[in-house]
Amino acid sequence: MSDNELSLEKILAGSDADNNQNNAYQAGFAAVIGRPNVGKSTIMNEMLGQKLSITSHKPQTTRHRIHGIYTTAEHQIIYVDTPGMHLGGEKSINDYMNRTANSAFADVDVILFVVEAGKWTKEDDAVAKKLACIDVPVVVLMNKIDNYKNKEDLFPFLQKVGERVKMDTLIPISAYKKSGLDLIKKEVLKYLPHQDKIFPEEYVTDRSQRFLAAEIIREKLMRTLGEEVPYGSTVEIEQFKYDEEEERWLINALILVERKGQKQIVIGKKGELIKQMGIQARKDLITLLDGRVHLELWVKIKENWSDNARALASLGYDDNYSS
Ligand SMILES: Nc1nc2c(ncn2[C@@H]2O[C@H](COP(=O)(O)OP(=O)(O)O)[C@@H](O)[C@H]2O)c(=O)[nH]1
Ligand SMILES: [Mg+2]
């Protein structure tokens, strides 16, 4: 064997080892799952130290899967926020949301199953049942413990969760109070493979600014409107560009609703509601885009968008999204 061949072998062996256990860097995926409204998106935002995923007190605020990427010199954790898995709802949009949530189970390194302290429902049972059939480590995050002054009151609930969920660990947390968050990170790192970065370090999400802008506006709808309208509405960005001369972003967005009555509700008396939503959305857009923003909002009726597969796909409710 010549010296040349020997050195080549050595180099190959060396590089192999670098890619595996000897690689000090860790990178991988942590899916955040659970029923609607337990605090999944709030937790992901807190873990990232940045608001990426929209939140509200209404169930089913999150409709799309979104990656939040947290990169340091030692590791890259990719959190996958998902729509809440829910029972019932016959429409195409419900089907899309459940499909999206289910698809997050595949190809992740660890699952963060979020439950709400003291409140176990049938929908939690449905999630637990799915987890029992898969082979990915499960960390239960018992969120909203700030609702309990006396932690001992949670013992019966803890017992119930222990009986029903096949899990590796349980961490009591409060996303509001930012308590327990360090423990989540520590636990996730136990399961992330030793490998190089998956996304370039400057990436904070897999979604475009245009997509995030539409989500910000949708959040204002979820937060401002009453019970019914938000579920029948969505947001379509018509124009999204930076005007070099005026040095500001020009954004035109359509708020789509399904019925005439809903249009009037979104607009509000003398246009007051849509104006308020515009002011709030603009504030968040300025933070997102780090520049001046001119925002125009319009309301349009598009019947049955939420129960029409083709309409959904054209609005970005697409399993193979590109935005
Ligand atoms: N009390 C309390 N409320 C929380 C906490 N985390 C989230 N929430 C609230 O729970 C609601 C649902 O949160 P969200 O993140 O949208 O839930 P998701 O549907 O699971 O993504 C919102 O009103 C949040 O402000 C927490 O730690 N404590
Ligand atoms: Mg959410």
Side-chain angles (χ1 to χ4, degrees):
M1 198 182 282
S2 76
D3 278 357
N4 259 353
E5 270 173 305
L6 192 68
S7 58
L8 186 65
E9 245 171 46
K10 262 190 187 161
I11 292 165
L12 286 177
S15 70
D16 232 356
D18 274 351
N19 280 334
N20 299 307
Q21 50 277 43
N22 288 351
N23 189 342
Y25 204 84
Q26 281 182 281
F29 293 86
V32 189
I33 64 150
R35 68 169 163 83
N37 225 25
V38 287
K40 296 180 294 301
S41 300
T42 310
I43 292 168
M44 182 174 89
N45 291 339
E46 287 299 337
M47 296 309 289
L48 297 170
Q50 178 181 359
K51 189 172 146 188
L52 267 190
S53 203
I54 65 169
T55 65
S56 89
H57 66 272
K58 291 198 181 69
Q60 297 167 38
T61 299
T62 307
R63 289 181 184 162
H64 305 271
R65 189 172 68 232
I66 174 169
H67 291 174
I69 307 166
Y70 183 84
T71 308
T72 71
E74 291 87 33
H75 52 253
Q76 179 172 74
I77 308 176
I78 301 151
Y79 294 97
V80 186
D81 189 18
T82 62
M85 273 181 268
H86 57 284
L87 303 166
E90 302 279 297
K91 286 182 167 183
S92 306
I93 180 96
N94 294 93
D95 197 39
Y96 168 83
M97 286 193 280
N98 274 328
R99 222 168 44 236
T100 304
N102 278 323
S103 69
F105 280 84
D107 295 331
V108 296
D109 301 295
V110 55
I111 285 176
L112 302 173
F113 175 18
V114 185
V115 300
E116 182 173 339
K119 213 167 152 188
W120 184 270
T121 73
K122 273 188 193 149
E123 292 182 312
D124 290 306
D125 265 327
V127 180
K129 221 167 126 188
K130 286 215 172 84
L131 292 180
C133 321
I134 58 162
D135 215 15
V136 181
V138 172
V139 176
V140 174
L141 304 181
M142 182 173 70
N143 191 29
K144 308 197 188 183
I145 55 165
D146 51 286
N147 285 334
Y148 283 79
K149 272 211 186 82
N150 193 349
K151 304 296 176 231
E152 277 157 30
D153 293 347
L154 279 168
F155 284 171
F157 180 79
L158 279 171
Q159 196 170 359
K160 195 181 224 171
V161 178
E163 281 163 10
R164 284 163 202 241
V165 188
K166 190 186 105 187
M167 66 170 115
D168 293 79
T169 333
L170 181 144
I171 309 176
I173 67 162
S174 163
Y176 266 14
K177 297 252 163 93
K178 303 183 201 295
S179 84
L181 303 182
D182 282 350
L183 290 175
I184 299 178
K185 192 172 149 190
K186 224 165 133 186
E187 197 59 30
V188 166
L189 286 174
K190 280 189 193 163
Y191 302 105
L192 290 204
H194 286 268
Q195 58 178 353
D196 291 331
K197 286 183 196 77
I198 295 164
F199 286 92
E201 60 191 308
E202 67 275 14
Y203 275 45
V204 290
T205 179
D206 60 332
R207 298 288 195 166
S208 66
Q209 288 182 322
R210 187 188 175 107
F211 171 88
L212 297 176
E215 286 288 277
I216 285 173
I217 297 163
R218 206 166 58 71
E219 179 184 79
K220 306 314 168 200
L221 288 167
M222 297 297 293
R223 290 187 176 189
T224 310
L225 300 173
E227 282 309 310
E228 188 204 349
V229 177
Y231 299 106
S233 63
T234 193
V235 174
E236 189 177 6
I237 302 283
E238 279 205 314
Q239 174 179 266
F240 186 87
K241 67 172 189 194
Y242 188 72
D243 187 318
E244 298 283 351
E245 256 169 44
E246 294 188 39
E247 294 184 345
R248 62 178 185 173
W249 289 89
L250 303 178
I251 303 173
N252 290 355
L254 281 181
I255 297 168
L256 299 179
V257 294
E258 298 197 294
R259 291 195 300 276
K260 206 170 158 190
Q262 294 177 332
K263 180 172 172 174
Q264 199 44 53
I265 292 172
V266 173
I267 292 170
K269 263 192 201 132
K270 294 186 183 161
E272 195 49 41
L273 227 46
I274 195 166
K275 189 177 150 199
Q276 282 310 320
M277 288 191 281
I279 290 170
Q280 288 163 22
R282 200 174 145 264
K283 227 162 112 188
D284 284 4
L285 287 167
I286 290 170
T287 308
L288 172 74
L289 301 168
D290 199 17
R292 295 199 302 140
V293 171
H294 177 78
L295 173 67
E296 281 182 26
L297 293 178
W298 302 90
V299 189
K300 201 174 131 183
I301 300 162
K302 181 163 180 161
E303 280 174 21
N304 287 332
W305 70 264
S306 70
D307 197 21
N308 177 321
R310 191 135 40 104
L312 278 177
S314 77
L315 290 168
Y317 293 87
D318 190 338
D319 293 341
N320 304 308
Y321 62 82
S322 57
S323 57

